[in-house]
Amino acid sequence: MRQSKPKDNDIDNEGTPGIYTLSVISDSRNNLDIGNSTTVLVSDQKEKERAKWGSELEFLMSCVAFSVGLGNVWRFPYTAYENGGGAFLIPYIIVLFIIGKPIYYMEMILGQFSSRSCIDIWSISPAFKGIGYGVTMAVFAVVTYYSALMALIVYYMIASFQSVLPWSYCWDDWGDICFNNTLTSNHTNIGNKSSSAELYFRKVVLNETNIDNGLGLPSWKLVLSLLASWAFVYGVISKGVKSTGKFSYFLALFPYIIMICLLIRGVTLNGAINGIIFLFKPTWNKIFDPSVWYAAVTQSFFSLGVCFGAVTMYSSYNNFDHNVSRDCLIVTTMDLCTSLIAGTTIFGILGNLAYEIGTDDISTVVRAGTGLAFISYPEALAKFTAAQQLFSVLFFLMLFVLGIGTTVAFSGVIISIIKDQFPRISQWKISAYFCFIGFLIGIVYCTPGGQYILNLVDYFCGTFILVILASFEVIAISWIYGIDNFIDDVEFMSGTRPSFYWRFCWGILTPISLFVILIYFLCSYAPLTYNNEYYPNSAYAAGWILLIIGASQLPIWIIISILNNKNAPLSVAFIAKNDWGPKDKKRFKKWKDFKESKRIQNNSINERTKFIQFLFGRQ
């Protein structure tokens, strides 16, 4: 008896897994052995089936929950203010249309067409598989500190329930270095004093110390807040897309309810209009500053979440013929509108803060990054004459829900990769192990030196690596796999060919723009600082090591792919593998026939027509 494992679809048996013996009946006239039997292992087909969204709307809501996040609320307003105010909107919108939107749509297409994770999709060009591994490392680093930010949000949300907001007054321990947030007199003579909100954040919440003295011991309150954050994340991802899809409606829509409430409250405050004008008043000479365009690119990356693998992962759970072009338009438009709404809300309330303390210089109440969420905004809340606690709870609840939506997507990227490699392991077990490991690593950010480490990891893993990998991702798809091949795949999947706009962006504008930004980034590199302090050399070395580990995955896997095909021409390492294409076997065969018809059609045309097609694409 001979035992073998068949190819897919050799045996149906109604999808029942097991071992079966097949007897071959024939006679000697046909040169067949009578009575020979073959034992065949039939695998459990259900294990090979990729999970699907419960409805098309679940996918859209999940994308909104992921892309509309903390980057819109506290990163965009300060980035816009720092880079020309209203003038920043011009490069930002241009970057959105030539980089953000094209990459977002490309990643949607790749995930839906192949039904694969951000690593497995690189059977499209095996030499570039390192992009998938590099993105995975970057996402894992980002999700660990993202959860730490949520721990801060939980801390503040709980503190907001106190009868008196704890950051609204000076604590006795702070001595004479503090001025009270609730005072409405002019603060032109505060000297080197700090606001009670800033001291509360630095000394009570973070217990921050210089990193030269080591990280210190973690705050047990922040550790418990971190645990609560991961518990919420686990509750959403424990059952995969089934649970994620159900929670997506709340994660996507609830923040808008709070945001609209805060917007109405913010724009009706005294001095709010001054803050809004301050944000959107254009500084036109900034448009010609390369650093502003670089800021627009990084903001687009963080805001939309491109090149983090999450868009590809979510799209891989779609039905093959789902209209991702429509969803791309909806998500990118909502993302831009949300950033504008958040900026208007935040700076309207900061305008009121400036009005209350009697200053016309709104820049004195604006802080960057986490300072905007945990210092400037709490300062403004402390000035409210009514319902301070209510608006404080609403604000931090909104931030928490936004953070959960993004963290769930980041976590899903890692979990989907593990699940694809080990399909027999239960989803809840993978999710539990991942959340536990994420929690343990996140404790590092709960130490007095945690914000120094967060800033370092964010810069080297969350920005640097992704700009590099994004540049080569577009190159690999558009120039190596080929823009015509990619557009043919889109046509087969959707029934229509992408317009000239998409072809021009994917083939020329997006990759060139990314490389120009990357070159500028490398040429203008300056040592990272935190609170205007330089890091120890050992910290810079650690950051560069993280960067090298992530970015080096690309050349490492190029070499591996070449060595695996050392007896073949070099180009073989870059050519799509035989298994690239739709997962469904019948659809895969139809796609192969479709590609062959396109090849025959292309071979039958003259050179002039080929040149026109190079510019405008095949029809």
Side-chain angles (χ1 to χ4, degrees), residues 301-522:
F301 272 54
F302 272 93
S303 187
L304 286 174
V306 294
C307 300
F308 282 98
V311 177
T312 302
M313 179 266 299
Y314 275 161
S315 301
S316 70
Y317 302 127
N318 278 340
N319 292 323
F320 187 79
D321 56 355
H322 178 71
N323 188 356
V324 287
S325 175
R326 175 198 61 204
D327 289 349
C328 175
L329 176 62
I330 293 173
V331 175
T332 53
T333 302
M334 288 186 66
D335 182 80
L336 174 61
C337 293
T338 304
S339 295
L340 297 177
I341 293 173
T344 302
T345 303
I346 296 293
F347 272 79
I349 293 175
L350 293 181
N352 172 255
L353 174 61
Y355 172 84
E356 291 292 337
I357 65 175
T359 179
D360 295 326
D361 186 4
I362 297 176
S363 64
T364 59
V365 298
V366 179
R367 292 172 178 82
T370 54
L372 188 63
F374 300 117
I375 299 176
S376 295
Y377 201 89
E379 277 182 0
L381 290 171
K383 306 295 293 185
F384 281 16
T385 55
Q388 294 178 348
Q389 289 77 8
L390 173 62
F391 283 103
S392 182
V393 170
L394 287 177
F395 176 71
F396 289 111
L397 179 59
M398 178 188 69
L399 291 185
F400 182 72
V401 175
L402 289 171
I404 287 288
T406 304
T407 306
V408 163
F410 286 154
S411 303
V413 171
I414 311 296
I415 292 171
S416 68
I417 294 170
I418 299 173
K419 184 67 175 176
D420 286 348
Q421 298 301 317
F422 306 99
R424 293 182 181 275
I425 303 179
S426 300
Q427 174 79 24
W428 71 268
K429 289 183 180 179
I430 299 175
S431 302
Y433 286 130
F434 174 79
C435 291
F436 180 68
I437 293 172
F439 165 71
L440 292 180
I441 297 176
I443 293 176
V444 172
Y445 303 108
C446 298
T447 60
Q451 292 299 301
Y452 285 87
I453 304 301
L454 189 153
N455 191 47
L456 190 76
V457 174
D458 174 55
Y459 180 77
F460 284 100
C461 293
T463 302
F464 215 150
I465 290 179
L466 293 176
V467 172
I468 295 172
L469 296 179
S471 303
F472 286 97
E473 176 183 324
V474 181
I475 290 292
I477 303 300
S478 299
W479 295 0
I480 305 301
Y481 180 63
I483 189 64
D484 280 325
N485 282 327
F486 184 67
I487 288 179
D488 286 344
D489 294 345
V490 180
E491 181 183 359
F492 177 78
M493 182 175 70
S494 64
T496 57
R497 292 183 73 80
S499 64
F500 173 75
Y501 160 72
W502 295 112
R503 179 184 180 85
F504 183 65
C505 287
W506 289 332
I508 300 174
L509 201 54
T510 303
I512 291 177
S513 299
L514 282 172
F515 268 103
V516 169
I517 292 295
L518 177 60
I519 292 171
Y520 169 78
F521 184 74
L522 295 173

Side-chain angles (χ1 to χ4, degrees), residues 528-551:
L528 181 68
T529 60
Y530 178 74
N531 285 341
N532 296 320
E533 299 176 6
Y534 287 100
Y535 283 80
N537 290 332
S538 57
Y540 289 122
W544 280 103
I545 290 172
L546 289 174
L547 172 64
I548 292 171
I549 291 174

Side-chain angles (χ1 to χ4, degrees), residues 604-619:
S604 64
I605 60 177
N606 57 41
E607 293 299 323
R608 180 174 178 273
T609 306
K610 286 183 178 181
F611 179 73
I612 295 175
Q613 288 183 351
F614 172 77
L615 295 177
F616 300 101
R618 293 198 294 256
Q619 300 301 319

Side-chain angles (χ1 to χ4, degrees), residues 254-268:
F254 181 72
Y256 283 101
I257 298 175
I258 300 179
M259 198 177 299
I260 292 172
C261 293
L262 293 174
L263 174 65
I264 295 172
R265 173 59 177 164
V267 298
T268 56

Side-chain angles (χ1 to χ4, degrees), residues 176-188:
D176 58 359
I177 64 172
C178 172
F179 69 87
N180 198 316
N181 276 336
T182 58
L183 299 178
T184 57
S185 58
N186 193 302
H187 291 293
T188 55

Side-chain angles (χ1 to χ4, degrees), residues 53 59-70 72 143 146-147 150 153 229 232-234 236-237 244-245 247-255 303-305 310-311 313-314 397-413:
W53 296 108
F59 167 69
L60 177 60
M61 292 294 102
S62 296
C63 287
V64 171
F66 164 61
S67 296
V68 178
L70 299 179
N72 300 81
V143 76
Y146 217 85
S147 61
M150 290 198 303
I153 295 170
S229 300
F232 274 96
V233 172
Y234 175 75
V236 177
I237 66 176
T244 303
F247 278 100
S248 64
Y249 296 95
F250 174 77
L251 296 176
L253 300 178
F254 181 72
S303 187
L304 286 174
V311 177
M313 179 266 299
Y314 275 161
L397 179 59
M398 178 188 69
L399 291 185
F400 182 72
V401 175
L402 289 171
I404 287 288
T406 304
T407 306
V408 163
F410 286 154
S411 303
V413 171

Side-chain angles (χ1 to χ4, degrees), residues 83-301:
N83 291 278
F88 175 75
L89 295 178
I90 295 176
Y92 181 68
I93 292 175
I94 292 174
V95 164
L96 176 66
F97 276 91
I98 68 174
I99 295 179
K101 204 171 178 180
I103 297 179
Y104 201 92
Y105 187 31
M106 175 181 282
E107 293 189 339
M108 277 185 162
I109 292 167
L110 287 170
Q112 180 169 302
F113 180 80
S114 64
S115 299
R116 304 169 193 240
S117 65
C118 66
I119 289 180
D120 288 344
I121 62 167
W122 289 106
S123 61
I124 193 173
S125 184
F128 288 92
K129 195 173 186 178
I131 294 176
Y133 284 104
V135 167
T136 302
M137 293 179 182
V139 169
F140 183 73
V142 170
V143 76
T144 57
Y145 79 67
Y146 217 85
S147 61
L149 291 176
M150 290 198 303
L152 291 174
I153 295 170
V154 171
Y155 189 106
Y156 268 82
M157 185 165 58
I158 294 174
S160 299
F161 285 96
Q162 298 183 34
S163 57
V164 178
L165 295 178
W167 56 81
S168 63
Y169 60 93
C170 292
W171 293 29
D172 294 337
D173 298 341
W174 302 339
D176 58 359
I177 64 172
C178 172
F179 69 87
N180 198 316
N181 276 336
T182 58
L183 299 178
T184 57
S185 58
N186 193 302
H187 291 293
T188 55
N189 297 318
I190 60 175
N192 294 324
K193 293 183 178 181
S194 300
S195 69
S196 54
E198 181 172 3
L199 291 174
Y200 179 79
F201 180 59
R202 304 289 183 195
K203 292 185 174 294
V204 177
V205 180
L206 300 179
N207 191 26
E208 198 166 66
T209 58
N210 193 293
I211 198 173
D212 291 332
N213 301 321
L215 295 179
L217 296 176
S219 163
W220 66 269
K221 293 181 180 179
L222 286 179
V223 171
L224 289 179
S225 299
L226 180 68
L227 180 61
S229 300
W230 276 113
F232 274 96
V233 172
Y234 175 75
V236 177
I237 66 176
S238 59
K239 294 183 180 179
V241 293
K242 291 182 179 179
S243 54
T244 303
K246 298 298 183 292
F247 278 100
S248 64
Y249 296 95
F250 174 77
L251 296 176
L253 300 178
F254 181 72
Y256 283 101
I257 298 175
I258 300 179
M259 198 177 299
I260 292 172
C261 293
L262 293 174
L263 174 65
I264 295 172
R265 173 59 177 164
V267 298
T268 56
L269 292 170
N270 292 328
I273 189 64
N274 296 329
I276 297 170
I277 292 174
F278 179 80
L279 170 62
F280 292 113
K281 183 179 180 180
T283 306
W284 295 113
N285 62 329
K286 285 278 191 177
I287 293 180
F288 304 101
D289 186 348
S291 64
V292 173
W293 289 86
Y294 172 71
V297 171
T298 55
Q299 176 59 35
S300 179
F301 272 54

